[in-house]
Amino acid sequence: MDQVSFGQRLRQCRKEKGFSQEEVAERIGVSAQAISKWEKGEVLPDLFHFQILAKFFHVSADSLLEIEPEDAEHVIETIKVGGAVFEVVKKPETILAGKIFYAKDYPSIGDFYTAIDSVDFNQRTLVSQKIVAAKLPAYDIALSVNFWSDEASRAMGFVRETSEEQQLEGIDVFKMPASLFIRGYTDRGTAGLLAKETCEPWEMFAYIRNYILPTYGYKMAENGAQEMEVFDVSGHSTGYAYVPVEKL
């Protein structure tokens, strides 16, 4: 591995996300001096911290090494609003598997939401363990289907990405078409836009729809792509909000 080239990619990734060296160091448990040395190409991080860096920046290890797989998503535009950073990403067709609830299958919209709320963390874990060929790293995803439109057509899923459409009995599948998405992360900058100290991914949906889209020339996608909360920790307190869009 070329230390200097890696350092340049690491610095570019950090800048794109809007973090200082000190902020990255604090979040991954190293000194700011270590980050500086990595970015200058003086030394390489060990395997543990290399994996932590990829996870922290929500990128694949291959992308840090410039070995990008064909099915990877690509950032095509960066939007900065105050201290927050949003990204327009081109995401290929994605197969999502897990448990999906459809409003049409319930007597009322209230019954639909009750069914969703009845699924606890342990039940979601059991479903996740049954998914065939789940992609790694595995992220818990909350899939929101048609939540910006008609209630009767809504669905809610607790899913993960997979490379296999054929799943075991009891595992639901949703095929997400290739699409552009605008995504935002639950950091301090984004929470500040919502006048909060912290925020959850779903809280960004309305802000992206109502402000980012009209301001930067986008509209909600009409290609079947849906909103997602992609959680980066098991507690589901932090992660990305993905909103499907089309360029005007």
Side-chain angles (χ1 to χ4, degrees), residues 165-182:
E165 192 170 354
Q166 299 301 314
Q167 294 289 323
L168 299 174
E169 184 177 355
I171 299 297
D172 304 314
V173 173
F174 187 93
K175 207 171 205 179
M176 185 84 79
S179 182
L180 292 180
F181 289 84
I182 291 180

Side-chain angles (χ1 to χ4, degrees), residues 72-211:
E73 60 184 50
H74 299 278
V75 177
I76 63 172
E77 183 181 352
T78 300
I79 297 170
K80 295 185 178 181
V81 183
V85 177
F86 296 88
E87 296 170 318
V88 182
V89 297
K90 185 176 183 181
K91 190 172 180 63
E93 181 181 83
T94 305
I95 303 171
L96 302 172
K99 179 63 177 176
I100 304 176
F101 298 87
Y102 291 90
K104 63 181 178 59
D105 296 333
Y106 295 87
S108 69
I109 196 70
D111 292 324
F112 166 65
Y113 287 119
T114 298
I116 294 170
D117 292 339
S118 69
V119 181
D120 62 23
F121 179 78
N122 290 332
Q123 290 173 302
R124 296 181 195 182
T125 300
L126 290 174
V127 170
S128 297
Q129 291 172 345
K130 292 175 63 178
I131 296 172
V132 175
K135 288 190 174 181
L136 298 176
Y139 292 103
D140 290 339
I141 299 172
L143 171 68
S144 301
V145 178
N146 294 333
F147 267 65
W148 66 84
S149 56
D150 181 31
E151 281 190 341
S153 65
R154 288 181 177 176
M156 184 71 196
F158 307 109
V159 297
R160 286 182 174 178
E161 285 194 23
T162 175
S163 57
E164 179 55 63
E165 192 170 354
Q166 299 301 314
Q167 294 289 323
L168 299 174
E169 184 177 355
I171 299 297
D172 304 314
V173 173
F174 187 93
K175 207 171 205 179
M176 185 84 79
S179 182
L180 292 180
F181 289 84
I182 291 180
R183 70 182 186 187
Y185 188 70
T186 53
D187 56 20
R188 286 175 294 179
T190 305
L193 295 178
L194 306 177
K196 302 182 71 173
E197 290 293 326
T198 62
C199 68
E200 296 183 40
W202 66 269
E203 295 180 276
M204 284 184 273
F205 287 150
Y207 185 87
I208 293 173
R209 286 192 227 116
N210 298 334
Y211 177 75

Side-chain angles (χ1 to χ4, degrees), residues 214-235:
T215 302
Y216 293 91
Y218 289 91
K219 67 175 184 176
M220 292 297 294
E222 299 176 358
N223 56 7
Q226 303 294 332
E227 292 177 328
M228 297 184 294
E229 298 169 72
V230 181
F231 301 103
D232 54 13
V233 295
S234 59

